[in-house]
Amino acid sequence: MPPLEQKSLRLKRPDFADVPESRRRNMSAIRPRDTKPEHIVRQLLHRLGYRFRLHRKDLPGHPDIVFPGRWKVIFVHGCFWHRHGCRNSVLPRTRREWWEAKLHRNVERDEAALARLRKLEWSPLVIWECEIGDKEALAQVLHKHLGPPGSRTV
């Protein structure tokens, strides 16, 4: 899609004049990468013996964790921002329509990135923020997706 058409799909950003300053500070502090859930997954991977690269900008969706030799990637998604559907993904009461549209675009962008990665023969895994509490279950999911540590084959 040409940049001009893509720009027109964006929603007009509200002025947020009625939003309390404390909420503005909270929302502006949210980072797109190197989040706490991502750090937890990376620490677990490292403890399990896996080595990886971070945030490859040349891959669709800019995966959080990349295993180039295995052709595998991992996205660590926040439940709210990527609409997981769990109790952590409740829409705010204010500006509901704006949030629905914004978060719907995030989901569409995620689906498109996963489809492009699969087309390029990469194997993606999405780990949701609410799933990282159970380290043993997460370790099993990671091992199943990646295979044994140290191997470089698919």
Side-chain angles (χ1 to χ4, degrees):
M1 184 179 310
L4 207 49
E5 285 180 39
Q6 190 175 23
K7 208 173 198 179
S8 66
L9 294 177
R10 294 183 183 162
L11 291 179
K12 185 176 187 283
R13 189 174 193 82
D15 65 0
F16 299 111
D18 59 333
V19 176
E21 185 60 31
S22 60
R23 173 59 62 193
R24 286 180 178 204
R25 274 196 310 274
N26 177 283
M27 295 304 282
S28 68
I30 297 171
R31 301 180 311 258
R33 57 189 256 181
D34 296 326
T35 62
K36 186 174 180 178
E38 191 180 321
H39 277 274
I40 292 169
V41 173
R42 287 170 14 193
Q43 287 173 345
L44 179 58
L45 283 165
H46 205 269
R47 242 182 287 132
L48 293 171
Y50 295 101
R51 300 302 176 256
F52 46 84
R53 299 285 176 247
L54 301 176
H55 309 290
R56 287 260 310 258
K57 292 181 181 170
D58 61 331
L59 291 175
H62 308 283
D64 298 315
I65 304 168
V66 181
F67 301 86
R70 299 169 188 263
W71 287 75
K72 309 240 179 188
V73 298
I74 296 175
F75 291 93
V76 182
H77 282 341
C79 296
F80 172 76
W81 295 104
H82 298 272
R83 308 305 301 150
H84 182 221
C86 68
R87 64 183 177 86
N88 298 330
S89 60
V90 176
L91 279 174
R93 285 183 229 143
T94 56
R95 291 190 181 82
R96 199 168 191 87
E97 289 179 15
W98 186 82
W99 279 108
E100 283 177 349
K102 176 180 180 41
L103 298 174
H104 181 70
R105 286 193 319 274
N106 288 354
V107 171
E108 287 178 338
R109 191 171 42 246
D110 293 342
E111 290 170 356
L114 291 173
R116 288 196 324 261
L117 281 165
R118 287 184 187 107
K119 189 173 183 179
L120 293 170
E121 298 183 12
W122 285 83
S123 178
L125 172 67
V126 175
I127 296 175
W128 293 97
E129 177 184 16
C130 64
E131 296 173 338
I132 62 171
D134 185 351
K135 303 285 188 291
E136 289 180 27
L138 180 57
Q140 289 177 356
V141 168
L142 293 170
H143 193 270
K144 182 179 179 186
H145 179 67
L146 298 170
S151 71
R152 294 184 54 92
T153 57
V154 179

